[in-house]
Amino acid sequence: MKFLFIFFSISLCFTKSLSAEQIQTLYLSDEHIFTLEKNGSQQNFFSDLFLIAAQKIDREIEIKRMPWKRAQKIIQQTTGGAIAPLTRTKEREPHYHWLHPLFPLRISYFTIKQTSPAISSLQEARQKRIGVKRGTFSEQIGARHQIPLAQLNSISSSEQILKLLEHGRIDAWLVWDLVAYRLNGALQSPLNLERGFGELLGTMYFATSLDVSEDERKLWSNAFTQTIEEGHLERLFINYFGVSYSHAKSKKGPL
């Protein structure tokens, strides 16, 4: 009887250890730019991509959406977790395994093509009226780019920035490219935006908690490579953001 108890305990510990090495839960931001309403339900860009990869290795994954800061905190305290999209930085290296690169995080200056030429340099940007969304990293980047305070307009919403840009109250919008694509594309009459000078802030990844094994990460990485080669990332980019993946990776150009 004692032998059976010890055997059961060892088996249970082994099962927990094995499951902890596998990805079980995907943590996502609840930010609306990554979601679409379809047939009465909310879909998410990253969960769509992750689930396609999961099918290739016959896995079922739990999806949890929440505020972004909370998601990052939870995955560092849990096991069997994945998270997206996370920018790879030196500060984050000790806290995550990096599963697969997704696309660049680039912040750019957007203008309306018919009324203002694309901004080609920081020197040019410093002479323009620049709109940024209040409370976002765009404010910090604008200050780092040394945009004069009198020229840097902190505005409460991206929708308001688009209106000000349309009516000539500001000259350019400093914003993460994907935000510009998504919000402008959602307008009934999208503006003819042109992307000008930009700064690459890093590469966005699917990442995992530290307990996920190397073999597990390789398995998923191969699944993502196959998923991307089959064109699923390109299709999702067009569906969610209205632009191709190849354009999102390019350094500049019109929408």
Side-chain angles (χ1 to χ4, degrees):
M1 189 72 175
K2 185 177 180 181
F3 172 77
L4 288 176
F5 176 76
I6 294 173
F7 177 78
F8 176 76
S9 299
I10 293 173
S11 298
L12 183 60
C13 290
F14 177 76
T15 301
K16 286 183 177 179
S17 175
L18 182 63
S19 63
E21 292 181 347
Q22 295 183 349
I23 295 173
Q24 300 167 334
T25 307
L26 174 62
Y27 297 91
L28 299 174
S29 168
D30 57 5
E31 173 61 51
H32 70 280
I33 71 161
F34 300 123
T35 60
L36 284 177
E37 293 287 340
K38 190 171 182 180
N39 299 325
S41 64
Q42 197 174 70
Q43 296 181 317
N44 180 280
F45 174 88
F46 297 104
S47 63
D48 283 356
L49 185 63
F50 206 89
L51 290 174
I52 292 170
Q55 290 175 356
K56 297 186 180 303
I57 54 176
D58 196 26
R59 292 289 183 83
E60 292 185 2
I61 300 296
E62 183 180 10
I63 308 292
K64 292 186 177 181
R65 300 175 191 167
M66 59 188 66
W68 190 228
K69 287 185 178 180
R70 183 182 170 203
Q72 292 177 70
K73 184 176 181 180
I74 285 177
I75 195 174
Q76 293 182 38
Q77 301 171 344
T78 191
T79 59
I83 188 170
L86 197 65
T87 310
R88 189 169 187 172
T89 64
K90 288 183 179 179
E91 295 76 16
R92 287 174 172 162
E93 286 293 333
H95 304 294
Y96 304 94
H97 287 311
W98 304 97
L99 183 61
H100 202 280
L102 292 168
F103 43 76
L105 171 60
R106 183 185 294 106
I107 189 167
S108 301
Y109 291 88
F110 285 84
T111 56
I112 296 181
K113 193 170 184 179
Q114 298 94 323
T115 58
S116 182
I119 291 175
S120 59
S121 67
L122 280 180
Q123 289 73 19
E124 188 178 342
R126 291 169 186 145
Q127 300 172 25
K128 303 290 184 178
R129 297 167 298 170
I130 307 297
V132 295
K133 185 179 177 181
R134 189 177 303 130
T136 65
F137 64 85
S138 296
E139 280 188 312
Q140 302 169 25
I141 300 299
R144 195 171 80 197
H145 286 178
Q146 299 180 5
I147 305 298
L149 286 177
Q151 302 290 96
L152 191 63
N153 299 270
S154 294
I155 300 162
S156 60
S157 72
S158 299
E159 291 77 9
Q160 183 65 18
I161 292 175
L162 281 167
K163 290 181 181 178
L164 294 174
L165 193 61
E166 181 180 16
H167 293 98
R169 302 286 298 277
I170 58 175
D171 301 309
W173 180 19
L174 178 60
V175 63
W176 181 18
D177 295 5
L178 294 188
V179 173
Y181 299 148
R182 179 64 195 278
L183 296 183
N184 185 57
L187 298 176
Q188 284 189 337
S189 300
L191 305 178
N192 190 10
L193 295 182
E194 185 167 22
R195 186 175 71 189
F197 179 86
E199 179 181 351
L200 181 63
L201 302 180
T203 299
M204 309 205 80
Y205 276 75
F206 273 119
T208 75
S209 51
L210 292 175
D211 64 292
V212 175
S213 70
E214 183 178 359
D215 286 344
E216 176 78 349
R217 299 196 307 272
K218 285 181 179 178
L219 183 69
W220 278 94
S221 183
N222 290 338
F224 278 117
T225 298
Q226 184 181 350
T227 297
I228 293 169
E229 288 176 350
E230 291 175 353
H232 295 290
L233 183 59
E234 183 81 8
R235 174 181 58 80
L236 288 172
F237 248 88
I238 293 171
N239 190 26
Y240 278 83
F241 305 114
V243 295
S244 68
Y245 174 58
S246 56
H247 173 79
K249 291 196 301 180
S250 68
K251 293 186 177 180
K252 66 174 297 183
L255 269 72

